Amino acid sequence: MAYKSKTVAALLASVLGTLGGHRFYLYGPRDTFGWLHVLGTLLGLSGWHLLMRSQLMSPLGWGLAICGAVSLFSSLLAAIVYGLRPDDAWNGRFNSRNSRKSSSGWSVILIVSLSLFVGAGLLMFGLVVGFQTYFEAHLPPNSLSQ
C-alpha cells in the first residue's frame, strides 16, 4: 500500500476537490465518489451557465448549480476533516501497512483555515444571491423603493 500524506490529501480536497482529486489520491481512479464530484461539478457549471443566460431566473439552472455547490462544499469540508484528523488516526486508516507515517504541521493548519474561510465566504455569497433573487422575483417592483 502506498504512503498517503495527510497534507497532500487536505490540499487536494481544498484545491481540486470538486474534480475528485482527494478521492482519487486516496482511493484510486475507480472511486465512485470521486467521479460523483466530477459529475456534480459539470452539472454545476452548466447550471451556472443557464443562470447567467437567464439573469438568475432559471429553475433548472438553480437545481444544477446546487449540484455543483454540493460538490464544492463537500470537498472543502473534506479538507477540514482530513486536516483535523489526528495523525495516529490518519496513519491507522491510510498508512497502516507502510513504515512511513504522516505527520502534520503548520501547512495543514493553513489549508484547514483557508478551506474554512473560502467555504464560509462562498456560502454567504450564495445565500445573498439566492435571497436577493427570490425577493426580487416575488415582491412587487414598487415595494423595493419605498
Side-chain angles (χ1 to χ4, degrees), residues 101-113:
K101 303 297 180 192
S102 184
S103 63
S104 55
W106 280 104
S107 57
V108 173
I109 301 300
L110 292 174
I111 293 167
V112 167
S113 300

Side-chain angles (χ1 to χ4, degrees), residues 7-127:
T7 305
V8 170
L11 183 63
L12 286 172
S14 184
V15 177
L16 295 175
T18 60
L19 298 175
H22 60 296
R23 299 289 307 186
F24 296 134
Y25 172 71
L26 293 174
Y27 302 105
R30 298 180 122 185
D31 182 61
T32 304
F33 291 110
W35 290 109
L36 285 175
H37 273 289
V38 173
L39 177 63
T41 300
L42 292 175
L43 291 174
L45 289 173
S46 61
W48 185 253
H49 180 70
L50 278 173
L51 287 173
M52 292 297 100
R53 285 186 27 215
S54 69
Q55 296 179 347
L56 302 177
M57 294 299 170
S58 169
L60 176 62
W62 279 105
L64 294 174
I66 288 172
C67 292
V70 167
S71 176
L72 173 66
F73 290 125
S74 65
S75 65
L76 291 171
L77 181 61
I80 294 167
V81 169
Y82 292 161
L84 294 179
R85 184 177 288 178
D87 290 338
D88 292 337
W90 178 268
N91 290 322
R93 171 78 171 95
F94 294 105
N95 295 320
S96 61
R97 293 187 222 156
N98 198 317
S99 61
R100 188 174 172 201
K101 303 297 180 192
S102 184
S103 63
S104 55
W106 280 104
S107 57
V108 173
I109 301 300
L110 292 174
I111 293 167
V112 167
S113 300
L114 178 68
S115 299
L116 185 59
F117 179 74
V118 169
L122 288 174
L123 180 62
M124 294 305 294
F125 175 75
L127 289 173

Side-chain angles (χ1 to χ4, degrees), residues 62 124-139:
W62 279 105
M124 294 305 294
F125 175 75
L127 289 173
V128 165
V129 169
F131 282 126
Q132 178 183 358
T133 303
Y134 175 80
F135 287 120
E136 284 177 354
H138 289 86
L139 290 177

